[in-house]
Protein backbone atom coordinates (compact mmCIF):
# COMPACT_ATOMS: atom_id res chain seq x y z
CA UNK A 1 0.00 0.00 0.00
CA UNK A 2 1.44 3.36 -1.06
CA UNK A 3 0.53 5.92 1.62
CA UNK A 4 0.18 9.60 0.84
CA UNK A 5 -0.89 12.84 2.46
CA UNK A 6 -2.22 16.06 0.93
CA UNK A 7 0.03 19.13 1.02
CA UNK A 8 -0.56 22.76 0.10
CA UNK A 9 2.02 24.54 -2.06
CA UNK A 10 2.33 27.97 -3.66
CA UNK A 11 3.01 27.43 -7.36
CA UNK A 12 4.52 30.43 -9.17
CA UNK A 13 4.95 28.98 -12.67
CA UNK A 14 2.56 27.70 -15.30
CA UNK A 15 -0.72 28.98 -16.69
CA UNK A 16 -2.56 29.04 -13.33
CA UNK A 17 -0.14 29.98 -10.53
CA UNK A 18 -1.32 30.23 -6.95
CA UNK A 19 -2.17 28.01 -4.02
CA UNK A 20 -2.40 24.35 -5.11
CA UNK A 21 -2.74 20.96 -3.44
CA UNK A 22 -0.89 17.77 -4.23
CA UNK A 23 -0.25 14.27 -2.93
CA UNK A 24 3.01 13.66 -1.10
CA UNK A 25 4.44 10.24 -0.33
CA UNK A 26 4.14 9.31 3.34
CA UNK A 27 6.95 6.90 4.15
CA UNK A 28 6.59 4.36 6.89
CA UNK A 29 9.47 3.50 9.19
CA UNK A 30 12.71 2.41 7.50
CA UNK A 31 13.34 -1.35 7.43
CA UNK A 32 16.90 -1.97 8.63
CA UNK A 33 19.23 -4.55 7.15
CA UNK A 34 18.96 -6.58 10.36
CA UNK A 35 15.16 -6.54 10.19
CA UNK A 36 15.26 -7.54 6.53
CA UNK A 37 17.59 -10.45 7.33
CA UNK A 38 15.22 -11.57 10.08
CA UNK A 39 12.21 -11.47 7.74
CA UNK A 40 14.07 -13.48 5.09
CA UNK A 41 15.28 -15.99 7.68
CA UNK A 42 11.74 -16.50 9.01
CA UNK A 43 10.42 -17.23 5.51
CA UNK A 44 13.23 -19.60 4.43
CA UNK A 45 15.28 -22.46 5.82
CA UNK A 46 18.32 -20.18 6.16
CA UNK A 47 19.50 -18.95 9.53
CA UNK A 48 19.62 -15.22 10.18
CA UNK A 49 23.43 -15.37 10.13
CA UNK A 50 23.45 -17.07 6.72
CA UNK A 51 21.06 -14.47 5.31
CA UNK A 52 23.19 -11.65 6.76
CA UNK A 53 26.31 -13.14 5.17
CA UNK A 54 24.63 -13.29 1.75
CA UNK A 55 23.29 -9.72 2.04
CA UNK A 56 26.73 -8.47 3.15
CA UNK A 57 28.38 -10.20 0.19
CA UNK A 58 25.75 -8.85 -2.22
CA UNK A 59 26.48 -5.31 -1.03
CA UNK A 60 30.25 -5.89 -1.21
CA UNK A 61 30.13 -7.13 -4.80
CA UNK A 62 27.71 -4.44 -6.00
CA UNK A 63 30.15 -1.83 -4.63
CA UNK A 64 33.13 -3.68 -6.14
CA UNK A 65 31.66 -4.04 -9.63
CA UNK A 66 30.18 -0.52 -9.76
CA UNK A 67 33.51 0.99 -8.68
CA UNK A 68 35.06 -0.99 -11.58
CA UNK A 69 32.65 0.66 -14.10
CA UNK A 70 30.43 -2.42 -14.30
CA UNK A 71 26.66 -2.54 -13.87
CA UNK A 72 25.03 -5.26 -11.76
CA UNK A 73 21.66 -6.65 -12.80
CA UNK A 74 19.39 -8.35 -10.28
CA UNK A 75 16.74 -9.91 -12.50
CA UNK A 76 13.62 -9.21 -10.42
CA UNK A 77 14.86 -5.95 -8.92
CA UNK A 78 16.78 -3.87 -11.43
CA UNK A 79 20.21 -2.60 -12.36
CA UNK A 80 22.80 -0.87 -10.20
CA UNK A 81 25.00 1.12 -12.60
CA UNK A 82 27.92 3.48 -12.06
CA UNK A 83 27.32 7.06 -13.09
CA UNK A 84 29.46 10.18 -13.37
CA UNK A 85 28.68 13.87 -13.66
CA UNK A 86 31.34 15.80 -15.53
CA UNK A 87 32.54 19.29 -16.30
CA UNK A 88 32.37 20.20 -19.99
CA UNK A 89 35.65 21.48 -21.46
CA UNK A 90 36.63 22.90 -24.84
CA UNK A 91 39.24 20.40 -26.06
CA UNK A 92 39.88 16.67 -25.76
CA UNK A 93 43.22 17.37 -24.09
CA UNK A 94 41.44 19.13 -21.23
CA UNK A 95 39.44 16.00 -20.33
CA UNK A 96 41.08 14.52 -17.22
CA UNK A 97 40.00 12.75 -14.07
CA UNK A 98 39.68 16.23 -12.52
CA UNK A 99 36.79 17.02 -14.89
CA UNK A 100 34.72 14.33 -13.17
CA UNK A 101 32.67 16.27 -10.63
CA UNK A 102 30.72 13.46 -9.00
CA UNK A 103 30.67 9.67 -9.03
CA UNK A 104 27.58 7.79 -7.94
CA UNK A 105 25.50 4.67 -8.42
CA UNK A 106 22.14 4.82 -10.17
CA UNK A 107 19.44 2.25 -9.54
CA UNK A 108 17.11 1.54 -12.46
CA UNK A 109 14.19 -0.72 -11.53
CA UNK A 110 13.37 -3.57 -13.89
CA UNK A 111 10.09 -3.51 -15.83
CA UNK A 112 8.53 -6.08 -13.50
CA UNK A 113 9.31 -4.02 -10.38
CA UNK A 114 8.04 -0.85 -12.02
CA UNK A 115 4.83 -2.62 -13.06
CA UNK A 116 4.46 -4.01 -9.52
CA UNK A 117 4.76 -0.49 -8.10
CA UNK A 118 2.31 0.89 -10.66
CA UNK A 119 -0.27 -1.73 -9.59
CA UNK A 120 0.22 -1.02 -5.87
CA UNK A 121 -2.87 0.48 -4.26
CA UNK A 122 -2.69 3.98 -2.85
CA UNK A 123 -4.22 5.09 0.44
CA UNK A 124 -4.65 8.59 1.81
CA UNK A 125 -3.38 8.86 5.39
CA UNK A 126 -5.42 10.92 7.82
CA UNK A 127 -2.77 12.94 9.62
CA UNK A 128 -2.87 16.18 11.51
CA UNK A 129 0.59 17.64 11.06
CA UNK A 130 1.34 21.36 10.81
CA UNK A 131 1.73 22.28 7.14
CA UNK A 132 -0.16 19.22 5.90
CA UNK A 133 -3.77 19.47 4.86
CA UNK A 134 -6.41 16.79 5.39
Amino acid sequence: MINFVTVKRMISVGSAPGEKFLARLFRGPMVSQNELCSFISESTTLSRGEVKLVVDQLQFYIRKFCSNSQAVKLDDLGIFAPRIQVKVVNTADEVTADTIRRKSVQFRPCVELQNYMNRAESQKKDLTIQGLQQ
Side-chain angles (χ1 to χ4, degrees):
M1 185 73 59
I2 303 296
N3 296 312
F4 68 94
V5 293
T6 302
V7 294
K8 178 173 53 173
R9 293 285 188 259
M10 282 301 289
I11 305 297
S12 59
V13 296
S15 61
E19 188 175 277
K20 305 292 179 186
F21 297 86
L22 58 120
R24 179 173 166 215
L25 180 66
F26 179 77
R27 289 191 180 103
M30 177 92 60
V31 177
S32 72
Q33 180 174 317
N34 285 335
E35 291 171 315
L36 182 61
C37 290
S38 292
F39 285 121
I40 294 170
S41 175
E42 291 169 8
S43 65
T44 66
T45 60
L46 299 173
S47 72
R48 194 185 159 290
E50 291 169 324
V51 173
K52 185 177 180 333
L53 176 64
V54 171
V55 171
D56 287 347
Q57 289 300 298
L58 177 66
Q59 293 175 123
F60 173 82
Y61 281 104
I62 288 173
R63 284 192 308 263
K64 178 179 178 169
F65 289 125
C66 284
S67 67
N68 195 33
S69 298
Q70 294 175 275
V72 176
K73 181 179 180 183
L74 300 177
D75 292 342
D76 294 332
L77 195 58
I79 298 172
F80 293 87
R83 180 178 176 201
I84 59 172
Q85 292 177 343
V86 298
K87 176 181 174 184
V88 177
V89 292
N90 294 320
T91 66
D93 290 338
E94 292 177 275
V95 176
T96 66
D98 292 334
T99 60
I100 298 173
R101 291 185 173 166
R102 183 172 182 238
K103 303 169 205 162
S104 61
V105 173
Q106 179 182 30
F107 174 72
R108 295 188 308 254
C110 69
V111 172
E112 293 82 9
L113 177 58
Q114 191 60 56
N115 289 339
Y116 186 82
M117 290 299 296
N118 287 337
R119 288 190 308 270
E121 290 187 34
S122 300
Q123 176 183 359
K124 187 173 185 176
K125 297 298 278 188
D126 184 22
L127 299 175
T128 306
I129 299 175
Q130 186 176 359
L132 300 180
Q133 305 300 312
Q134 293 190 26

